[in-house]
Amino acid sequence: MTRITGCLLLLALCTAVVFPFSAAQAASGLDEAAEQARTYLLELERKQGTLSPWSYVALAASGEPLNATRVSRAVERLESEETTACCLLILTLLASGQDPYNFRGRNLVARLQAAQLPGGKFSDHLQEGGERLVNAHVWAVLALKAAAAPIPDPEAARRWLAGQQHEDGSFYWDARERKTSDVDTTGMALMALAALGETPDSPVVQKAVRYLKSVQLSGGGFESWGAENAESCSAAILGLVA
């Protein structure tokens, strides 16, 4: 439940930080829903002591100042050389008003920039490399965009990501798997492609949008791993907004 609530509020952060849009475009009832989720997360922190990093990012997206929270504990858990962990650390630092360019004497943004491989992909691991994880590439693009940092070779990054699209228009987190489709990865890939300059009328975007339309459930939602869920809905919305 914490992860689902966090993802719903993450929509507000990602669109506000990476792809700003006017308040007039917000759906009615969004403020009330966000307030309920914010209250839930604060109460959950009170009960269990700390929250996941995504939950603190979500709280910041809802307008909640993090200075009175235990976000520093969540940051401690993100000390890792995995690219996805570095990206989440950058986003969490930005959400809490800290500087990812100088975190304990380290420039996390520069480290992430240096992880782009010659073929355009951001490596799976900051030190060990790796070209399997599509989600590591996507989050690297979005984290750099959120930090207002340039991507060393944006065109190569765009080409690599576009090349991971499946025949049905979808994307999947594992670059080695070409037959499995995933709503979540497809939505986030659309967001990264937009950050890399892909236009709405491009064939890659149009194919991905057609895929999302084809798998939308009759009630309007989306599912992944066999279950309809809020995370997949938010990922689809993020991609379409981008």
Side-chain angles (χ1 to χ4, degrees), residues 159-198:
R159 284 198 308 268
W160 187 89
L161 183 54
Q164 306 313 306
Q165 189 171 41
H166 296 181
E167 187 176 346
D168 65 356
S170 70
F171 290 81
Y172 189 62
W173 66 268
D174 188 345
R176 300 182 304 181
E177 174 55 64
R178 304 296 298 182
K179 295 183 179 180
T180 303
S181 302
D182 179 55
V183 169
D184 299 47
T185 308
T186 302
M188 299 314 294
L190 276 174
M191 197 174 180
L193 285 167
L196 291 166
E198 197 75 37

PDB file of all heavy atoms in Angstrom, residues 159-198:
ATOM      1  N   ARG A 159      18.388   6.952 -29.057  1.00  0.00           N
ATOM      2  CA  ARG A 159      18.433   5.845 -30.012  1.00  0.00           C
ATOM      3  C   ARG A 159      18.440   4.497 -29.301  1.00  0.00           C
ATOM      4  O   ARG A 159      17.753   3.556 -29.723  1.00  0.00           O
ATOM      5  CB  ARG A 159      19.669   5.961 -30.918  1.00  0.00           C
ATOM      6  CG  ARG A 159      19.574   7.008 -31.998  1.00  0.00           C
ATOM      7  CD  ARG A 159      20.622   6.751 -33.087  1.00  0.00           C
ATOM      8  NE  ARG A 159      21.965   6.609 -32.514  1.00  0.00           N
ATOM      9  CZ  ARG A 159      22.818   7.622 -32.373  1.00  0.00           C
ATOM     10  NH1 ARG A 159      22.473   8.842 -32.758  1.00  0.00           N
ATOM     11  NH2 ARG A 159      24.022   7.420 -31.865  1.00  0.00           N
ATOM     12  N   TRP A 160      19.224   4.404 -28.228  1.00  0.00           N
ATOM     13  CA  TRP A 160      19.281   3.129 -27.511  1.00  0.00           C
ATOM     14  C   TRP A 160      17.918   2.763 -26.946  1.00  0.00           C
ATOM     15  O   TRP A 160      17.465   1.630 -27.084  1.00  0.00           O
ATOM     16  CB  TRP A 160      20.308   3.190 -26.373  1.00  0.00           C
ATOM     17  CG  TRP A 160      20.481   1.822 -25.744  1.00  0.00           C
ATOM     18  CD1 TRP A 160      21.358   0.849 -26.123  1.00  0.00           C
ATOM     19  CD2 TRP A 160      19.725   1.285 -24.663  1.00  0.00           C
ATOM     20  NE1 TRP A 160      21.189  -0.269 -25.343  1.00  0.00           N
ATOM     21  CE2 TRP A 160      20.186  -0.033 -24.436  1.00  0.00           C
ATOM     22  CE3 TRP A 160      18.683   1.775 -23.861  1.00  0.00           C
ATOM     23  CZ2 TRP A 160      19.661  -0.861 -23.432  1.00  0.00           C
ATOM     24  CZ3 TRP A 160      18.156   0.956 -22.869  1.00  0.00           C
ATOM     25  CH2 TRP A 160      18.639  -0.335 -22.664  1.00  0.00           C
ATOM     26  N   LEU A 161      17.260   3.733 -26.322  1.00  0.00           N
ATOM     27  CA  LEU A 161      15.959   3.452 -25.719  1.00  0.00           C
ATOM     28  C   LEU A 161      14.916   3.122 -26.779  1.00  0.00           C
ATOM     29  O   LEU A 161      14.147   2.170 -26.630  1.00  0.00           O
ATOM     30  CB  LEU A 161      15.507   4.649 -24.875  1.00  0.00           C
ATOM     31  CG  LEU A 161      14.187   4.473 -24.119  1.00  0.00           C
ATOM     32  CD1 LEU A 161      14.205   3.221 -23.256  1.00  0.00           C
ATOM     33  CD2 LEU A 161      13.901   5.714 -23.269  1.00  0.00           C
ATOM     34  N   ALA A 162      14.891   3.872 -27.864  1.00  0.00           N
ATOM     35  CA  ALA A 162      13.948   3.588 -28.944  1.00  0.00           C
ATOM     36  C   ALA A 162      14.173   2.194 -29.509  1.00  0.00           C
ATOM     37  O   ALA A 162      13.223   1.507 -29.908  1.00  0.00           O
ATOM     38  CB  ALA A 162      14.075   4.642 -30.043  1.00  0.00           C
ATOM     39  N   GLY A 163      15.429   1.756 -29.512  1.00  0.00           N
ATOM     40  CA  GLY A 163      15.747   0.431 -30.030  1.00  0.00           C
ATOM     41  C   GLY A 163      15.272  -0.711 -29.156  1.00  0.00           C
ATOM     42  O   GLY A 163      15.289  -1.873 -29.586  1.00  0.00           O
ATOM     43  N   GLN A 164      14.842  -0.398 -27.941  1.00  0.00           N
ATOM     44  CA  GLN A 164      14.340  -1.440 -27.033  1.00  0.00           C
ATOM     45  C   GLN A 164      12.837  -1.660 -27.179  1.00  0.00           C
ATOM     46  O   GLN A 164      12.272  -2.527 -26.509  1.00  0.00           O
ATOM     47  CB  GLN A 164      14.647  -1.065 -25.578  1.00  0.00           C
ATOM     48  CG  GLN A 164      16.105  -0.763 -25.306  1.00  0.00           C
ATOM     49  CD  GLN A 164      17.041  -1.801 -25.889  1.00  0.00           C
ATOM     50  OE1 GLN A 164      16.908  -2.994 -25.626  1.00  0.00           O
ATOM     51  NE2 GLN A 164      18.002  -1.341 -26.700  1.00  0.00           N
ATOM     52  N   GLN A 165      12.197  -0.906 -28.058  1.00  0.00           N
ATOM     53  CA  GLN A 165      10.755  -1.063 -28.228  1.00  0.00           C
ATOM     54  C   GLN A 165      10.422  -2.388 -28.889  1.00  0.00           C
ATOM     55  O   GLN A 165      11.074  -2.816 -29.837  1.00  0.00           O
ATOM     56  CB  GLN A 165      10.195   0.089 -29.069  1.00  0.00           C
ATOM     57  CG  GLN A 165       8.669   0.120 -29.124  1.00  0.00           C
ATOM     58  CD  GLN A 165       8.158   1.390 -29.783  1.00  0.00           C
ATOM     59  OE1 GLN A 165       8.714   1.842 -30.786  1.00  0.00           O
ATOM     60  NE2 GLN A 165       7.109   1.974 -29.238  1.00  0.00           N
ATOM     61  N   HIS A 166       9.402  -3.051 -28.386  1.00  0.00           N
ATOM     62  CA  HIS A 166       8.973  -4.328 -28.932  1.00  0.00           C
ATOM     63  C   HIS A 166       8.064  -4.118 -30.143  1.00  0.00           C
ATOM     64  O   HIS A 166       7.581  -3.018 -30.402  1.00  0.00           O
ATOM     65  CB  HIS A 166       8.226  -5.131 -27.867  1.00  0.00           C
ATOM     66  CG  HIS A 166       9.084  -5.504 -26.696  1.00  0.00           C
ATOM     67  ND1 HIS A 166       8.615  -6.242 -25.630  1.00  0.00           N
ATOM     68  CD2 HIS A 166      10.391  -5.238 -26.408  1.00  0.00           C
ATOM     69  CE1 HIS A 166       9.583  -6.433 -24.753  1.00  0.00           C
ATOM     70  NE2 HIS A 166      10.664  -5.822 -25.202  1.00  0.00           N
ATOM     71  N   GLU A 167       7.808  -5.200 -30.837  1.00  0.00           N
ATOM     72  CA  GLU A 167       6.988  -5.116 -32.047  1.00  0.00           C
ATOM     73  C   GLU A 167       5.595  -4.571 -31.765  1.00  0.00           C
ATOM     74  O   GLU A 167       4.998  -3.878 -32.597  1.00  0.00           O
ATOM     75  CB  GLU A 167       6.894  -6.497 -32.695  1.00  0.00           C
ATOM     76  CG  GLU A 167       6.203  -6.495 -34.040  1.00  0.00           C
ATOM     77  CD  GLU A 167       6.224  -7.864 -34.690  1.00  0.00           C
ATOM     78  OE1 GLU A 167       6.992  -8.738 -34.227  1.00  0.00           O
ATOM     79  OE2 GLU A 167       5.461  -8.073 -35.657  1.00  0.00           O
ATOM     80  N   ASP A 168       5.044  -4.874 -30.585  1.00  0.00           N
ATOM     81  CA  ASP A 168       3.691  -4.411 -30.255  1.00  0.00           C
ATOM     82  C   ASP A 168       3.677  -2.977 -29.728  1.00  0.00           C
ATOM     83  O   ASP A 168       2.621  -2.442 -29.386  1.00  0.00           O
ATOM     84  CB  ASP A 168       3.020  -5.348 -29.251  1.00  0.00           C
ATOM     85  CG  ASP A 168       3.714  -5.358 -27.886  1.00  0.00           C
ATOM     86  OD1 ASP A 168       4.762  -4.696 -27.743  1.00  0.00           O
ATOM     87  OD2 ASP A 168       3.210  -6.029 -26.965  1.00  0.00           O
ATOM     88  N   GLY A 169       4.846  -2.335 -29.652  1.00  0.00           N
ATOM     89  CA  GLY A 169       4.924  -0.954 -29.195  1.00  0.00           C
ATOM     90  C   GLY A 169       5.322  -0.802 -27.743  1.00  0.00           C
ATOM     91  O   GLY A 169       5.573   0.308 -27.278  1.00  0.00           O
ATOM     92  N   SER A 170       5.392  -1.916 -27.018  1.00  0.00           N
ATOM     93  CA  SER A 170       5.685  -1.867 -25.588  1.00  0.00           C
ATOM     94  C   SER A 170       7.183  -1.841 -25.313  1.00  0.00           C
ATOM     95  O   SER A 170       8.007  -1.998 -26.212  1.00  0.00           O
ATOM     96  CB  SER A 170       5.068  -3.080 -24.887  1.00  0.00           C
ATOM     97  OG  SER A 170       5.767  -4.271 -25.265  1.00  0.00           O
ATOM     98  N   PHE A 171       7.513  -1.666 -24.034  1.00  0.00           N
ATOM     99  CA  PHE A 171       8.880  -1.781 -23.533  1.00  0.00           C
ATOM    100  C   PHE A 171       8.856  -2.729 -22.341  1.00  0.00           C
ATOM    101  O   PHE A 171       7.807  -2.956 -21.730  1.00  0.00           O
ATOM    102  CB  PHE A 171       9.423  -0.417 -23.098  1.00  0.00           C
ATOM    103  CG  PHE A 171       9.682   0.540 -24.223  1.00  0.00           C
ATOM    104  CD1 PHE A 171       8.635   1.271 -24.779  1.00  0.00           C
ATOM    105  CD2 PHE A 171      10.959   0.719 -24.726  1.00  0.00           C
ATOM    106  CE1 PHE A 171       8.861   2.161 -25.825  1.00  0.00           C
ATOM    107  CE2 PHE A 171      11.200   1.614 -25.766  1.00  0.00           C
ATOM    108  CZ  PHE A 171      10.152   2.331 -26.320  1.00  0.00           C
ATOM    109  N   TYR A 172      10.019  -3.279 -21.999  1.00  0.00           N
ATOM    110  CA  TYR A 172      10.139  -4.171 -20.851  1.00  0.00           C
ATOM    111  C   TYR A 172      11.436  -3.852 -20.129  1.00  0.00           C
ATOM    112  O   TYR A 172      12.406  -3.408 -20.758  1.00  0.00           O
ATOM    113  CB  TYR A 172      10.113  -5.634 -21.306  1.00  0.00           C
ATOM    114  CG  TYR A 172      10.007  -6.647 -20.194  1.00  0.00           C
ATOM    115  CD1 TYR A 172       8.895  -6.658 -19.353  1.00  0.00           C
ATOM    116  CD2 TYR A 172      11.013  -7.587 -19.975  1.00  0.00           C
ATOM    117  CE1 TYR A 172       8.778  -7.586 -18.333  1.00  0.00           C
ATOM    118  CE2 TYR A 172      10.905  -8.522 -18.958  1.00  0.00           C
ATOM    119  CZ  TYR A 172       9.794  -8.510 -18.138  1.00  0.00           C
ATOM    120  OH  TYR A 172       9.683  -9.432 -17.128  1.00  0.00           O
ATOM    121  N   TRP A 173      11.485  -4.101 -18.831  1.00  0.00           N
ATOM    122  CA  TRP A 173      12.645  -3.692 -18.033  1.00  0.00           C
ATOM    123  C   TRP A 173      13.917  -4.454 -18.384  1.00  0.00           C
ATOM    124  O   TRP A 173      15.017  -3.962 -18.176  1.00  0.00           O
ATOM    125  CB  TRP A 173      12.358  -3.848 -16.545  1.00  0.00           C
ATOM    126  CG  TRP A 173      12.161  -5.281 -16.099  1.00  0.00           C
ATOM    127  CD1 TRP A 173      10.973  -5.946 -16.016  1.00  0.00           C
ATOM    128  CD2 TRP A 173      13.175  -6.203 -15.694  1.00  0.00           C
ATOM    129  NE1 TRP A 173      11.183  -7.238 -15.580  1.00  0.00           N
ATOM    130  CE2 TRP A 173      12.519  -7.426 -15.373  1.00  0.00           C
ATOM    131  CE3 TRP A 173      14.558  -6.125 -15.560  1.00  0.00           C
ATOM    132  CZ2 TRP A 173      13.215  -8.556 -14.935  1.00  0.00           C
ATOM    133  CZ3 TRP A 173      15.257  -7.250 -15.124  1.00  0.00           C
ATOM    134  CH2 TRP A 173      14.591  -8.435 -14.813  1.00  0.00           C
ATOM    135  N   ASP A 174      13.780  -5.663 -18.943  1.00  0.00           N
ATOM    136  CA  ASP A 174      14.921  -6.503 -19.274  1.00  0.00           C
ATOM    137  C   ASP A 174      15.182  -6.436 -20.778  1.00  0.00           C
ATOM    138  O   ASP A 174      14.367  -6.919 -21.571  1.00  0.00           O
ATOM    139  CB  ASP A 174      14.648  -7.936 -18.838  1.00  0.00           C
ATOM    140  CG  ASP A 174      15.866  -8.845 -18.980  1.00  0.00           C
ATOM    141  OD1 ASP A 174      16.825  -8.460 -19.671  1.00  0.00           O
ATOM    142  OD2 ASP A 174      15.856  -9.941 -18.382  1.00  0.00           O
ATOM    143  N   ALA A 175      16.299  -5.870 -21.174  1.00  0.00           N
ATOM    144  CA  ALA A 175      16.601  -5.700 -22.595  1.00  0.00           C
ATOM    145  C   ALA A 175      16.775  -7.024 -23.322  1.00  0.00           C
ATOM    146  O   ALA A 175      16.669  -7.073 -24.545  1.00  0.00           O
ATOM    147  CB  ALA A 175      17.858  -4.839 -22.760  1.00  0.00           C
ATOM    148  N   ARG A 176      17.022  -8.098 -22.590  1.00  0.00           N
ATOM    149  CA  ARG A 176      17.215  -9.398 -23.223  1.00  0.00           C
ATOM    150  C   ARG A 176      15.900 -10.090 -23.541  1.00  0.00           C
ATOM    151  O   ARG A 176      15.870 -11.039 -24.335  1.00  0.00           O
ATOM    152  CB  ARG A 176      18.046 -10.308 -22.304  1.00  0.00           C
ATOM    153  CG  ARG A 176      19.429  -9.766 -21.987  1.00  0.00           C
ATOM    154  CD  ARG A 176      20.222 -10.713 -21.125  1.00  0.00           C
ATOM    155  NE  ARG A 176      19.509 -11.033 -19.891  1.00  0.00           N
ATOM    156  CZ  ARG A 176      19.995 -11.836 -18.933  1.00  0.00           C
ATOM    157  NH1 ARG A 176      21.189 -12.378 -19.070  1.00  0.00           N
ATOM    158  NH2 ARG A 176      19.304 -12.065 -17.834  1.00  0.00           N
ATOM    159  N   GLU A 177      14.819  -9.626 -22.939  1.00  0.00           N
ATOM    160  CA  GLU A 177      13.506 -10.238 -23.132  1.00  0.00           C
ATOM    161  C   GLU A 177      12.717  -9.417 -24.140  1.00  0.00           C
ATOM    162  O   GLU A 177      12.302  -8.298 -23.860  1.00  0.00           O
ATOM    163  CB  GLU A 177      12.763 -10.315 -21.801  1.00  0.00           C
ATOM    164  CG  GLU A 177      11.333 -10.810 -21.907  1.00  0.00           C
ATOM    165  CD  GLU A 177      11.207 -12.152 -22.594  1.00  0.00           C
ATOM    166  OE1 GLU A 177      11.717 -13.149 -22.060  1.00  0.00           O
ATOM    167  OE2 GLU A 177      10.625 -12.175 -23.703  1.00  0.00           O
ATOM    168  N   ARG A 178      12.495  -9.970 -25.336  1.00  0.00           N
ATOM    169  CA  ARG A 178      11.872  -9.220 -26.418  1.00  0.00           C
ATOM    170  C   ARG A 178      10.411  -9.579 -26.661  1.00  0.00           C
ATOM    171  O   ARG A 178       9.779  -9.024 -27.550  1.00  0.00           O
ATOM    172  CB  ARG A 178      12.655  -9.444 -27.717  1.00  0.00           C
ATOM    173  CG  ARG A 178      14.128  -9.105 -27.642  1.00  0.00           C
ATOM    174  CD  ARG A 178      14.376  -7.635 -27.377  1.00  0.00           C
ATOM    175  NE  ARG A 178      13.858  -6.785 -28.436  1.00  0.00           N
ATOM    176  CZ  ARG A 178      13.974  -5.459 -28.458  1.00  0.00           C
ATOM    177  NH1 ARG A 178      14.572  -4.839 -27.454  1.00  0.00           N
ATOM    178  NH2 ARG A 178      13.496  -4.759 -29.457  1.00  0.00           N
ATOM    179  N   LYS A 179       9.869 -10.496 -25.852  1.00  0.00           N
ATOM    180  CA  LYS A 179       8.492 -10.930 -26.092  1.00  0.00           C
ATOM    181  C   LYS A 179       7.534 -10.555 -24.964  1.00  0.00           C
ATOM    182  O   LYS A 179       6.329 -10.706 -25.120  1.00  0.00           O
ATOM    183  CB  LYS A 179       8.460 -12.446 -26.303  1.00  0.00           C
ATOM    184  CG  LYS A 179       9.190 -12.899 -27.555  1.00  0.00           C
ATOM    185  CD  LYS A 179       9.065 -14.400 -27.751  1.00  0.00           C
ATOM    186  CE  LYS A 179       9.781 -14.855 -29.022  1.00  0.00           C
ATOM    187  NZ  LYS A 179       9.677 -16.329 -29.235  1.00  0.00           N
ATOM    188  N   THR A 180       8.047 -10.097 -23.846  1.00  0.00           N
ATOM    189  CA  THR A 180       7.198  -9.739 -22.709  1.00  0.00           C
ATOM    190  C   THR A 180       6.914  -8.246 -22.731  1.00  0.00           C
ATOM    191  O   THR A 180       7.828  -7.429 -22.871  1.00  0.00           O
ATOM    192  CB  THR A 180       7.883 -10.119 -21.381  1.00  0.00           C
ATOM    193  OG1 THR A 180       8.187 -11.509 -21.400  1.00  0.00           O
ATOM    194  CG2 THR A 180       6.975  -9.810 -20.202  1.00  0.00           C
ATOM    195  N   SER A 181       5.648  -7.892 -22.569  1.00  0.00           N
ATOM    196  CA  SER A 181       5.232  -6.487 -22.567  1.00  0.00           C
ATOM    197  C   SER A 181       4.971  -6.024 -21.144  1.00  0.00           C
ATOM    198  O   SER A 181       4.606  -6.813 -20.271  1.00  0.00           O
ATOM    199  CB  SER A 181       3.962  -6.316 -23.410  1.00  0.00           C
ATOM    200  OG  SER A 181       4.178  -6.761 -24.730  1.00  0.00           O
ATOM    201  N   ASP A 182       5.122  -4.733 -20.900  1.00  0.00           N
ATOM    202  CA  ASP A 182       4.933  -4.203 -19.551  1.00  0.00           C
ATOM    203  C   ASP A 182       4.434  -2.766 -19.616  1.00  0.00           C
ATOM    204  O   ASP A 182       5.084  -1.901 -20.203  1.00  0.00           O
ATOM    205  CB  ASP A 182       6.255  -4.277 -18.783  1.00  0.00           C
ATOM    206  CG  ASP A 182       6.140  -3.719 -17.382  1.00  0.00           C
ATOM    207  OD1 ASP A 182       5.263  -4.174 -16.629  1.00  0.00           O
ATOM    208  OD2 ASP A 182       6.924  -2.822 -17.036  1.00  0.00           O
ATOM    209  N   VAL A 183       3.271  -2.524 -19.014  1.00  0.00           N
ATOM    210  CA  VAL A 183       2.687  -1.181 -19.001  1.00  0.00           C
ATOM    211  C   VAL A 183       3.583  -0.201 -18.264  1.00  0.00           C
ATOM    212  O   VAL A 183       3.828   0.924 -18.737  1.00  0.00           O
ATOM    213  CB  VAL A 183       1.288  -1.218 -18.349  1.00  0.00           C
ATOM    214  CG1 VAL A 183       0.776   0.205 -18.085  1.00  0.00           C
ATOM    215  CG2 VAL A 183       0.310  -1.966 -19.234  1.00  0.00           C
ATOM    216  N   ASP A 184       4.088  -0.602 -17.098  1.00  0.00           N
ATOM    217  CA  ASP A 184       4.870   0.308 -16.263  1.00  0.00           C
ATOM    218  C   ASP A 184       6.111   0.810 -17.004  1.00  0.00           C
ATOM    219  O   ASP A 184       6.383   2.014 -17.049  1.00  0.00           O
ATOM    220  CB  ASP A 184       5.290  -0.392 -14.973  1.00  0.00           C
ATOM    221  CG  ASP A 184       4.105  -0.851 -14.133  1.00  0.00           C
ATOM    222  OD1 ASP A 184       3.182  -1.456 -14.699  1.00  0.00           O
ATOM    223  OD2 ASP A 184       4.120  -0.640 -12.920  1.00  0.00           O
ATOM    224  N   THR A 185       6.875  -0.130 -17.570  1.00  0.00           N
ATOM    225  CA  THR A 185       8.083   0.260 -18.288  1.00  0.00           C
ATOM    226  C   THR A 185       7.759   1.090 -19.518  1.00  0.00           C
ATOM    227  O   THR A 185       8.478   2.037 -19.856  1.00  0.00           O
ATOM    228  CB  THR A 185       8.895  -0.978 -18.696  1.00  0.00           C
ATOM    229  OG1 THR A 185       9.116  -1.795 -17.552  1.00  0.00           O
ATOM    230  CG2 THR A 185      10.240  -0.584 -19.293  1.00  0.00           C
ATOM    231  N   THR A 186       6.662   0.764 -20.194  1.00  0.00           N
ATOM    232  CA  THR A 186       6.272   1.517 -21.387  1.00  0.00           C
ATOM    233  C   THR A 186       5.954   2.966 -21.038  1.00  0.00           C
ATOM    234  O   THR A 186       6.397   3.903 -21.724  1.00  0.00           O
ATOM    235  CB  THR A 186       5.060   0.865 -22.064  1.00  0.00           C
ATOM    236  OG1 THR A 186       5.369  -0.490 -22.404  1.00  0.00           O
ATOM    237  CG2 THR A 186       4.666   1.623 -23.332  1.00  0.00           C
ATOM    238  N   GLY A 187       5.194   3.175 -19.958  1.00  0.00           N
ATOM    239  CA  GLY A 187       4.868   4.538 -19.540  1.00  0.00           C
ATOM    240  C   GLY A 187       6.095   5.341 -19.184  1.00  0.00           C
ATOM    241  O   GLY A 187       6.251   6.494 -19.593  1.00  0.00           O
ATOM    242  N   MET A 188       7.015   4.721 -18.441  1.00  0.00           N
ATOM    243  CA  MET A 188       8.210   5.438 -18.036  1.00  0.00           C
ATOM    244  C   MET A 188       9.170   5.639 -19.205  1.00  0.00           C
ATOM    245  O   MET A 188       9.886   6.642 -19.266  1.00  0.00           O
ATOM    246  CB  MET A 188       8.899   4.706 -16.894  1.00  0.00           C
ATOM    247  CG  MET A 188       8.030   4.564 -15.638  1.00  0.00           C
ATOM    248  SD  MET A 188       7.176   6.092 -15.150  1.00  0.00           S
ATOM    249  CE  MET A 188       8.545   7.139 -14.682  1.00  0.00           C
ATOM    250  N   ALA A 189       9.185   4.697 -20.146  1.00  0.00           N
ATOM    251  CA  ALA A 189      10.010   4.875 -21.345  1.00  0.00           C
ATOM    252  C   ALA A 189       9.517   6.076 -22.155  1.00  0.00           C
ATOM    253  O   ALA A 189      10.321   6.856 -22.685  1.00  0.00           O
ATOM    254  CB  ALA A 189       9.995   3.614 -22.198  1.00  0.00           C
ATOM    255  N   LEU A 190       8.200   6.235 -22.249  1.00  0.00           N
ATOM    256  CA  LEU A 190       7.653   7.403 -22.938  1.00  0.00           C
ATOM    257  C   LEU A 190       8.110   8.691 -22.269  1.00  0.00           C
ATOM    258  O   LEU A 190       8.431   9.683 -22.933  1.00  0.00           O
ATOM    259  CB  LEU A 190       6.122   7.339 -22.942  1.00  0.00           C
ATOM    260  CG  LEU A 190       5.471   6.510 -24.039  1.00  0.00           C
ATOM    261  CD1 LEU A 190       3.964   6.428 -23.816  1.00  0.00           C
ATOM    262  CD2 LEU A 190       5.768   7.111 -25.413  1.00  0.00           C
ATOM    263  N   MET A 191       8.135   8.687 -20.954  1.00  0.00           N
ATOM    264  CA  MET A 191       8.567   9.873 -20.223  1.00  0.00           C
ATOM    265  C   MET A 191      10.033  10.185 -20.512  1.00  0.00           C
ATOM    266  O   MET A 191      10.408  11.348 -20.730  1.00  0.00           O
ATOM    267  CB  MET A 191       8.340   9.650 -18.733  1.00  0.00           C
ATOM    268  CG  MET A 191       8.352  10.913 -17.916  1.00  0.00           C
ATOM    269  SD  MET A 191       7.899  10.566 -16.209  1.00  0.00           S
ATOM    270  CE  MET A 191       8.018  12.226 -15.552  1.00  0.00           C
ATOM    271  N   ALA A 192      10.867   9.159 -20.513  1.00  0.00           N
ATOM    272  CA  ALA A 192      12.289   9.363 -20.800  1.00  0.00           C
ATOM    273  C   ALA A 192      12.502   9.804 -22.241  1.00  0.00           C
ATOM    274  O   ALA A 192      13.339  10.663 -22.521  1.00  0.00           O
ATOM    275  CB  ALA A 192      13.067   8.079 -20.514  1.00  0.00           C
ATOM    276  N   LEU A 193      11.746   9.219 -23.165  1.00  0.00           N
ATOM    277  CA  LEU A 193      11.872   9.609 -24.569  1.00  0.00           C
ATOM    278  C   LEU A 193      11.511  11.075 -24.759  1.00  0.00           C
ATOM    279  O   LEU A 193      12.173  11.801 -25.522  1.00  0.00           O
ATOM    280  CB  LEU A 193      10.979   8.726 -25.442  1.00  0.00           C
ATOM    281  CG  LEU A 193      11.481   7.301 -25.675  1.00  0.00           C
ATOM    282  CD1 LEU A 193      10.382   6.437 -26.282  1.00  0.00           C
ATOM    283  CD2 LEU A 193      12.710   7.303 -26.585  1.00  0.00           C
ATOM    284  N   ALA A 194      10.480  11.529 -24.058  1.00  0.00           N
ATOM    285  CA  ALA A 194      10.104  12.939 -24.147  1.00  0.00           C
ATOM    286  C   ALA A 194      11.226  13.820 -23.608  1.00  0.00           C
ATOM    287  O   ALA A 194      11.537  14.870 -24.179  1.00  0.00           O
ATOM    288  CB  ALA A 194       8.813  13.193 -23.374  1.00  0.00           C
ATOM    289  N   ALA A 195      11.844  13.399 -22.507  1.00  0.00           N
ATOM    290  CA  ALA A 195      12.956  14.166 -21.940  1.00  0.00           C
ATOM    291  C   ALA A 195      14.139  14.214 -22.890  1.00  0.00           C
ATOM    292  O   ALA A 195      14.943  15.151 -22.842  1.00  0.00           O
ATOM    293  CB  ALA A 195      13.384  13.550 -20.610  1.00  0.00           C
ATOM    294  N   LEU A 196      14.237  13.207 -23.766  1.00  0.00           N
ATOM    295  CA  LEU A 196      15.343  13.144 -24.723  1.00  0.00           C
ATOM    296  C   LEU A 196      14.998  13.790 -26.060  1.00  0.00           C
ATOM    297  O   LEU A 196      15.781  13.721 -27.009  1.00  0.00           O
ATOM    298  CB  LEU A 196      15.737  11.676 -24.946  1.00  0.00           C
ATOM    299  CG  LEU A 196      16.401  10.996 -23.733  1.00  0.00           C
ATOM    300  CD1 LEU A 196      16.438   9.492 -23.932  1.00  0.00           C
ATOM    301  CD2 LEU A 196      17.798  11.550 -23.515  1.00  0.00           C
ATOM    302  N   GLY A 197      13.825  14.408 -26.144  1.00  0.00           N
ATOM    303  CA  GLY A 197      13.468  15.164 -27.337  1.00  0.00           C
ATOM    304  C   GLY A 197      12.592  14.454 -28.340  1.00  0.00           C
ATOM    305  O   GLY A 197      12.320  14.997 -29.424  1.00  0.00           O
ATOM    306  N   GLU A 198      12.130  13.242 -28.028  1.00  0.00           N
ATOM    307  CA  GLU A 198      11.224  12.536 -28.941  1.00  0.00           C
ATOM    308  C   GLU A 198       9.901  13.289 -29.007  1.00  0.00           C
ATOM    309  O   GLU A 198       9.366  13.728 -27.988  1.00  0.00           O
ATOM    310  CB  GLU A 198      10.998  11.110 -28.454  1.00  0.00           C
ATOM    311  CG  GLU A 198      10.428  10.175 -29.502  1.00  0.00           C
ATOM    312  CD  GLU A 198      11.473   9.749 -30.527  1.00  0.00           C
ATOM    313  OE1 GLU A 198      12.645   9.545 -30.159  1.00  0.00           O
ATOM    314  OE2 GLU A 198      11.105   9.635 -31.696  1.00  0.00           O
TER     315      GLU A 198
END
